[in-house]
Amino acid sequence: MRPESLGTLEIAFLIMGMAIITVLNRSFFIFLGDRIRVPELILRAMRYAPLAAIVGILAPELLLPPGAIALSELDWKLPNIWGGIAAFGVYFWTRKMLPTLLVGMAVFSLVRHWL
């Protein structure tokens, strides 16, 4: 049995609620100001959070075929892997984003059409 869909008012309340929670969550330190002292260890650890999030999102996209859930399903014929390796190499060598994107997409496209 399919549940009844949400009405316009319910959707508006959901969006407003999510917006309020997001604002409160992101402005936690602004509201508390200097009343809270964050330990240096946590501040150092927070520097790695963006990198960890990017790796967590990109690694499965680069290494796994669509629909796969385990690394054992790795297939070296995937163009994602070769494009990612090429992009990583170019970025490591040049430290510039534009050549990284261009080479990564070029290798991805070539491998996709040849394999």
Side-chain angles (χ1 to χ4, degrees):
M1 187 165 139
R2 186 174 176 177
E4 200 174 304
S5 62
L6 297 175
T8 306
L9 186 60
E10 292 168 322
I11 292 173
F13 282 143
L14 282 172
I15 292 173
M16 288 186 334
M18 288 187 292
I20 290 169
I21 289 171
T22 301
V23 166
L24 290 175
N25 188 16
R26 292 182 181 260
S27 60
F28 178 74
F29 292 108
I30 294 173
F31 288 152
L32 294 178
D34 293 330
R35 289 178 270 178
I36 281 194
R37 174 112 172 95
V38 179
E40 184 63 32
L41 179 65
I42 292 176
L43 290 175
R44 269 188 289 151
M46 285 174 44
R47 290 191 327 204
Y48 298 104
L51 177 62
I54 289 173
V55 169
I57 292 169
L58 289 181
E61 285 295 320
L62 288 176
L63 299 176
L64 299 177
I69 57 172
L71 194 56
S72 63
E73 300 176 48
L74 176 81
D75 182 10
W76 287 101
K77 292 183 180 179
L78 282 176
N80 305 7
I81 294 173
W82 298 108
I85 291 171
F88 177 77
V90 170
Y91 183 77
F92 187 74
W93 182 45
T94 65
R95 301 282 189 215
K96 295 183 180 176
M97 190 56 78
L98 186 60
T100 300
L101 292 172
L102 293 175
V103 170
M105 288 306 297
V107 170
F108 172 83
S109 298
L110 290 173
V111 171
R112 187 177 68 178
H113 290 294
W114 282 347
L115 289 182

